[in-house]
Amino acid sequence: MTPKSLGFIGGGRITRIMLAAFAKAGQLPAQIIVSDANSEVLDKLKVEFPSIHTTADNLAPATQDMVFIALHPPAFGSLLSDLKPCLQPNAILVSLAPRVTLKKMAESLDGFTRLARLIPNAPSIIGQGYNPIAFAAGLPPADRADLLNLLSLLGECPEVDEDKLEAYAILTAMGPTYLWFQLYELQTIAQSFGLSAAEVQTGITKMVNGAVSTMMASGLSPEAVMDLVPVKPLADEESHIKAAYHQKLEALYTRLKG
């Protein structure tokens, strides 16, 4: 069941990604309110999605049936306590951020527990996202089903333990950023070698899909998989890349769980 209305507090990247996915599926709800302090952000959204209503008032979206908080954790501040009087009794409030737990949200909302937390990722823009979700105990099964029905337009939305959401933020939400710059560089280099744009697109798609499938479905150990290709042009850089993964991601995970 598509909700009658949606509210987005924050009009940045993830709001645009979600709206684009809904529009691509031909199921953009008729009533959508998006708030943001940056008028330029709202103007750009309005151009892309003319039917939405935009406002600088963060409390306006809270009056809708499903409300998404698309803000970074530091921006939550006193927002939650301010939202409480605006929320409908049967509204569903969904945080799209790591760190702020369902318990903390409920406490700030004076016991309102019709809550969920979602960790969205960028491929949702084409309906191929992987967006883990955790529900508060106070959100009934029927309402969970309604929310999941809407979110299915983004891709997969598995229910997970809330304690794992920060790990998913590192793995699935930020994961594409570890790969995209390398793949775009590979695309540029391959075209400089004489391959057409279409040939490179096909080659990269097949290579990446096949490489991941080999990791997950071959039954081989990591060492055996990596030994399938004898020539490794970037072997001298592997230790530096691995060190960067550990240094950056472990530190970030610690901050998110702090």
Side-chain angles (χ1 to χ4, degrees):
M1 173 182 173
T2 301
K4 296 179 181 178
S5 62
L6 300 182
F8 288 87
I9 301 172
R13 289 179 180 84
I14 192 55
T15 294
R16 182 174 65 85
I17 286 170
M18 293 177 69
L19 294 180
F22 299 155
K24 182 177 183 294
Q27 297 192 43
L28 194 68
Q31 174 72 10
I32 300 175
I33 300 178
V34 181
S35 68
D36 201 281
N38 188 329
S39 60
E40 291 183 4
V41 168
L42 295 178
D43 290 343
K44 289 179 180 178
L45 277 180
K46 188 70 173 177
V47 169
E48 192 169 354
F49 310 102
S51 66
I52 69 172
H53 301 275
T54 59
T55 176
D57 180 7
N58 276 340
L59 300 185
T63 61
Q64 306 306 292
D65 299 326
M66 291 186 181
V67 184
F68 296 89
I69 304 179
L71 301 174
H72 295 296
F76 271 58
S78 62
L79 173 67
L80 290 174
S81 57
D82 292 339
L83 291 183
K84 180 60 172 68
C86 305
L87 290 169
Q88 300 181 48
N90 292 323
I92 301 173
L93 183 63
V94 184
S95 167
L96 304 178
R99 194 168 188 173
V100 182
T101 66
L102 293 168
K103 180 181 178 181
K104 289 180 181 177
M105 291 176 65
E107 290 173 350
S108 298
L109 292 165
D110 295 329
F112 183 89
T113 58
R114 295 176 56 81
L115 306 170
R117 290 180 59 203
L118 180 77
I119 300 294
N121 79 330
S124 297
I125 198 169
I126 59 169
Q128 295 185 27
Y130 190 79
N131 308 294
I133 191 169
F135 299 106
L139 187 62
D143 295 297
R144 299 183 187 197
D146 283 347
L147 178 57
L148 289 174
N149 182 56
L150 173 70
L151 297 176
S152 68
L153 300 175
L154 308 178
E156 295 185 49
C157 189
E159 183 177 357
V160 302
D161 293 338
E162 184 185 14
D163 191 53
K164 296 181 178 180
L165 289 178
E166 283 69 34
Y168 276 112
I170 301 290
L171 176 65
T172 59
M174 302 176 204
T177 69
Y178 317 145
L179 306 176
W180 276 338
F181 76 94
Q182 298 182 70
L183 294 175
Y184 278 118
E185 199 64 25
L186 183 58
Q187 180 182 53
T188 299
I189 292 171
Q191 287 185 233
S192 76
F193 294 159
L195 294 179
S196 68
E199 289 170 331
V200 172
Q201 180 176 342
T202 299
I204 288 180
T205 300
K206 297 294 186 180
M207 179 273 291
V208 171
N209 288 342
V212 173
S213 294
T214 302
M215 282 180 63
M216 304 304 174
S218 68
L220 298 174
S221 67
E223 294 76 17
V225 168
M226 291 186 285
D227 192 51
L228 292 173
V229 182
V231 179
K232 302 175 180 61
L234 300 182
D236 291 344
E237 305 300 328
E238 286 184 10
S239 61
H240 302 294
I241 296 170
K242 289 178 182 178
Y245 266 72
H246 284 275
Q247 178 184 356
K248 300 294 184 180
L249 302 187
E250 289 171 3
L252 178 56
Y253 180 74
T254 299
R255 290 201 301 273
L256 291 179
K257 295 296 285 187

